[in-house]
Amino acid sequence: QDVFLFFKASQLAKLGCVVLICDIFSDPTGWAWDSNRTKYNQVRNDLARDDHWLLKSRVLASIQTLLSTTFSLSTSSSSVKSDDEQNANTTKGTLHVDKDRLAAIGWCLGAQPILEVLRVQSWSFFDFSVPTLISFHGVYHRKELPMEKEDKNHGRQEQLQRQVLICNGINDPFVSQEDLQRTKKFMESFDYKVDILQYNNAWHGFTNPAQAFNDNDAFDYNQAAAQSSWESAIELIQRTLL
């Protein structure tokens, strides 16, 4: 129930995107923000257990929910297709999300689902593509990142422009340069072009104005970095998806 994420979702919707917010913690009341981190740490460990199987299943459920959503609109957005006309400019009919024009955007721990998106879309029995991946102050750290794809899906996915944008604060104590380079290599093994934007004087959570009021010195808001990173993300979305 993060107001900041709802705000960002509304900005994307105004561009013509269909937006689904995935709550990987299944937290309807906001306990993930409690100062007592016991439950947060327990659920986080549960998500990572057995090669992140629970996290992977929630990522797949989110994608399947998004792709199964239909719309009856008088005017369509640019991210949906019509059953009557195979383009996104129709003014009638049933509309659905274009399975070849998906994006995943993560803040903080939301970088972990992005890693699972990379893995599951390479499985040949799934028919969707996520050519655009974006993270802001993403925590990519894992004890191990498999460098070999389980079942690479050859074909149309490799013909698409596939790109990752990682927006990172240099002062972020939760993200090491080693983690970023390992992650970059992992993503490139899935045929993505990876750009890492590094922002000076930017700490964890630098995109969220609420972090200016956080007593934890690891967090802070940086308006310049927040604006620059968001503009870069929007430019990438418009170039690759819209």
Side-chain angles (χ1 to χ4, degrees):
Q1 302 300 312
D2 192 321
V3 174
F4 175 74
L5 292 184
F6 280 103
F7 172 63
K8 289 301 183 183
S10 68
Q11 289 183 301
L12 292 170
K14 289 177 181 178
L15 295 177
C17 300
V18 178
V19 184
L20 174 70
I21 298 177
C22 173
D23 176 10
I24 61 171
F25 279 95
S26 188
D27 173 18
T29 61
W31 52 257
W33 293 102
D34 289 348
S35 56
N36 185 332
R37 309 306 284 164
T38 302
K39 185 173 182 178
Y40 172 90
N41 291 330
Q42 177 183 344
V43 175
R44 181 172 176 173
N45 290 336
D46 289 343
L47 289 170
R49 188 174 292 117
D50 298 326
D51 193 23
H52 295 80
W53 184 253
L54 179 58
L55 176 59
K56 192 182 282 90
S57 68
R58 290 180 176 178
V59 166
L60 282 171
S62 298
I63 294 173
Q64 291 166 349
T65 298
L66 186 63
L67 294 179
S68 66
T69 302
T70 58
F71 307 85
S72 296
L73 302 175
S74 57
T75 302
S76 74
S77 70
S78 59
S79 56
V80 294
K81 280 188 176 181
S82 168
D83 289 335
D84 298 328
E85 303 175 48
Q86 288 303 305
N87 63 71
N89 298 317
T90 183
T91 58
K92 63 180 180 178
T94 301
L95 306 174
H96 56 86
V97 174
D98 187 343
K99 61 183 174 59
D100 290 331
R101 286 192 292 163
L102 303 181
I105 307 177
W107 282 260
C108 306
L109 197 64
Q112 292 293 318
I114 287 178
L115 294 175
E116 295 309 316
V117 168
L118 280 167
R119 299 176 69 186
V120 299
Q121 74 166 333
S122 73
W123 297 350
S124 59
F125 44 84
F126 289 121
D127 185 27
F128 63 83
S129 182
V130 190
T132 304
L133 305 171
I134 301 169
S135 70
F136 302 92
H137 35 88
V139 179
Y140 284 103
H141 178 74
R142 287 190 179 185
K143 292 181 179 179
E144 183 177 358
L145 278 175
M147 286 296 119
E148 295 294 329
K149 287 167 277 190
E150 294 107 356
D151 180 16
K152 186 174 180 180
N153 185 1
H154 294 277
R156 64 179 176 82
Q157 289 192 26
E158 295 189 6
Q159 304 304 315
L160 299 173
Q161 182 180 13
R162 310 177 77 176
Q163 199 157 340
V164 180
L165 176 64
I166 296 175
C167 302
N168 181 64
I170 290 179
N171 301 94
D172 193 332
F174 304 119
V175 184
S176 70
Q177 294 302 308
E178 180 183 0
D179 282 340
L180 288 179
Q181 292 308 312
R182 288 177 65 243
T183 300
K184 182 175 184 290
K185 183 178 179 181
F186 177 67
M187 291 174 164
E188 288 173 341
S189 75
F190 287 83
D191 306 314
Y192 278 83
K193 179 180 181 296
V194 181
D195 291 324
I196 301 176
L197 299 183
Q198 304 263 27
Y199 293 95
N200 291 318
N201 300 315
W203 301 80
H204 195 64
F206 67 83
T207 62
N208 191 337
Q211 298 300 348
F213 304 97
N214 194 328
D215 293 334
N216 188 329
D217 291 339
F219 296 78
D220 201 2
Y221 174 58
N222 184 311
Q223 183 177 6
Q227 180 176 345
S228 174
S229 60
W230 185 247
E231 289 174 351
S232 296
I234 295 302
E235 188 277 330
L236 176 59
I237 291 170
Q238 291 177 325
R239 174 162 46 85
T240 58
L241 299 178
L242 301 181

